[in-house]
């Protein structure tokens, strides 16, 4: 299929990545420990907490994308079960110049052993109540997701 007749192509000279999509799909994993705390990550170069996860690559299925992202951010090894708990409204990310849809999954890993992966500066389990009144919208969402 040529660029002239393919649907969903977005021209962006500064992208430096594939741009043949309308929305970037971001998969995030909500993992809770026995205390009810949530596993969160500060991705490289960021100063706010978020759920581990990231963009789904072309040709990946959901389980493979979740497994890859969990490995990259929190060194999750082994199998896990998952179920979708939330879908965020599409949002325009000006800093990246694209629209994104976040899918939030409850993940239940077989083992609860984690360490910062290649894409993370810090990871920790935190009581989600601390995010309820955060100045960061991303952190406030973590609190909202636990209510679902």
């Amino acid at each position: 299929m040529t660029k002239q007749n393919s649907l969903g192509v977005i021209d962006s000279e500064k992208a430096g990545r594939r741009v043949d999509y309308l929305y970037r799909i971001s998969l995030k994993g909500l993992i809770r420990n026995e205390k009810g705390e949530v596993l969160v990550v500060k991705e490289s170069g960021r100063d706010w907490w978020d759920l581990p996860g990231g963009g789904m690559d072309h040709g990946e299925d959901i389980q493979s994308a979740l497994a890859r992202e969990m490995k990259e951010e929190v060194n999750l090894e082994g199998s896990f079960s998952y179920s979708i708990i939330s879908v965020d409204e599409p949002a325009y990310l000006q800093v990246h110049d694209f629209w994104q849809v976040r899918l939030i999954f409850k993940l239940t890993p077989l083992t609860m052993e984690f360490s910062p992966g290649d894409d993370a500066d810090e990871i920790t389990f935190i009581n989600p109540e601390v995010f309820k009144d955060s100045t960061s919208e991303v952190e406030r969402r973590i609190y909202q997701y636990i209510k679902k």
Side-chain angles (χ1 to χ4, degrees):
M1 179 178 287
T2 66
K3 185 174 180 179
Q4 290 85 354
N5 66 8
S6 62
L7 300 176
V9 172
I10 302 169
D11 289 323
S12 178
E13 292 179 22
K14 64 181 178 180
R17 58 179 156 59
R18 286 186 66 165
V19 292
D20 57 340
Y21 52 81
L22 294 175
Y23 291 97
R24 177 180 183 263
I25 303 299
S26 178
L27 309 175
K28 297 290 184 172
L30 184 105
I31 300 171
R32 297 183 83 172
N33 64 14
E34 68 282 348
K35 298 178 194 173
E37 298 168 322
V38 175
L39 181 63
V40 291
V41 60
K42 282 189 182 175
E43 292 183 33
S44 299
R46 296 184 181 172
D47 63 356
W48 64 89
W49 294 107
D50 197 357
L51 298 175
M56 186 174 186
D57 291 340
H58 290 270
E60 277 187 309
D61 60 57
I62 289 173
Q63 185 170 4
S64 297
L66 281 168
R68 177 183 52 75
E69 285 293 338
M70 294 302 116
K71 173 65 177 156
E72 290 174 0
E73 294 195 5
V74 297
N75 276 318
L76 175 61
E77 301 280 354
S79 61
F80 55 87
S81 62
Y82 65 96
S83 60
I84 193 161
I85 60 171
S86 188
V87 177
D88 289 354
E89 289 295 325
Y92 178 69
L93 304 180
Q94 187 170 5
V95 68
H96 298 297
D97 190 26
F98 58 66
W99 285 84
Q100 175 175 272
V101 174
R102 284 171 46 122
L103 307 177
I104 312 305
F105 294 85
K106 176 184 175 187
L107 263 64
T108 307
L110 194 57
T111 61
M112 294 288 284
E113 296 176 17
F114 307 99
S115 62
D118 292 341
D119 292 350
D121 286 339
E122 294 179 63
I123 67 167
T124 192
F125 278 95
I126 293 180
N127 182 332
E129 292 286 330
V130 304
F131 299 126
K132 182 177 181 179
D133 297 315
S134 172
T135 58
S136 165
E137 179 184 348
V138 173
E139 290 181 351
R140 285 192 310 274
R141 287 183 193 173
I142 296 169
Y143 175 77
Q144 294 166 357
Y145 299 141
I146 64 158
K147 300 297 181 185
K148 298 186 184 242

